Amino acid sequence: MNGAGPPRAFTTAELPDHVGRVLGTSADHRIDQERVDAFARVTGDDQWIHVDPGRARAAGGTIVHGHLLLSLIPVMSTEAFTVTDAVRTVNHRLDGVRFRAPVPTGEGVRGRFRLTGARPRVRDWYEIVLGVEIELLDGPVVCRAVQTYLCALRT
């Protein structure tokens, strides 16, 4: 989605003209305690600041796992934009991750995707490099990262 609309569509031939521009913004994602607890069970990251609202109350409440935020990047990117001539897209790299502020459990976030690189790779693959910002719905950017996707192209 581009915010509340459908994903913006691009072909790989169009992408180089958009380097430096925002390709799109995801839908809003509210992260409740149930989701945080489920993430803790799956990953084994059950630190009290994430899963114990009683104990965390003195610190302002529980906070969302940083890695839970990162795990939302793929779904957020598909909501923000699509590459129409790609038959498959795979995560290739995630670099430069910076958690700039905690996300209180119950808050909402969205992702903004700026194209920083686009180039053909070997055979029928294409590389897309994105500057990712995850921001609170009513506040600042809480996480920045560089996501690289490889797209298999139709032949």
Side-chain angles (χ1 to χ4, degrees), residues 8 25 29 35 56 62 81 98 102 109 144:
R8 293 181 63 199
T25 302
H29 293 261
R35 189 172 199 176
T62 58
F81 71 94
R98 298 289 182 268
V109 296
R144 285 196 168 107

Side-chain angles (χ1 to χ4, degrees), residues 90-101:
V90 296
N91 294 315
H92 180 60
R93 295 175 62 144
L94 186 63
D95 299 299
V97 174
R98 298 289 182 268
F99 298 109
R100 304 177 56 81

Side-chain angles (χ1 to χ4, degrees), residues 6-138:
R8 293 181 63 199
F10 302 92
T11 65
T12 52
E14 296 168 327
L15 284 174
D17 293 335
H18 293 276
V19 170
R21 296 185 188 156
V22 172
L23 294 185
T25 302
S26 77
D28 300 345
H29 293 261
R30 190 144 316 269
I31 306 171
D32 61 16
Q33 189 65 52
E34 183 178 339
R35 189 172 199 176
V36 170
D37 292 345
F39 188 85
R41 282 191 302 277
V42 169
T43 63
D45 185 353
D46 59 357
Q47 293 185 49
W48 65 267
I49 195 64
H50 303 301
V51 300
D52 188 341
R55 185 174 176 192
R57 191 171 297 115
T62 58
I63 61 173
V64 175
H65 299 81
H67 283 92
L68 193 160
L69 290 175
L70 296 177
S71 75
L72 295 174
I73 291 174
V75 70
M76 285 195 229
S77 69
T78 61
E79 293 169 347
F81 71 94
T82 186
V83 179
T84 57
D85 52 338
V87 294
R88 180 174 67 244
T89 301
V90 296
N91 294 315
H92 180 60
R93 295 175 62 144
L94 186 63
D95 299 299
V97 174
R98 298 289 182 268
F99 298 109
R100 304 177 56 81
V103 175
T105 302
E107 291 290 322
V109 296
R110 71 173 68 92
R112 185 176 319 280
F113 298 86
R114 180 179 303 276
L115 184 65
T116 61
R119 67 184 180 107
R121 294 287 298 257
V122 296
R123 299 195 189 108
D124 297 317
W125 288 88
Y126 198 85
E127 180 181 87
I128 298 171
V129 183
L130 302 159
V132 180
E133 292 184 334
I134 300 174
E135 61 191 19
L136 289 176
L137 300 182
D138 60 352

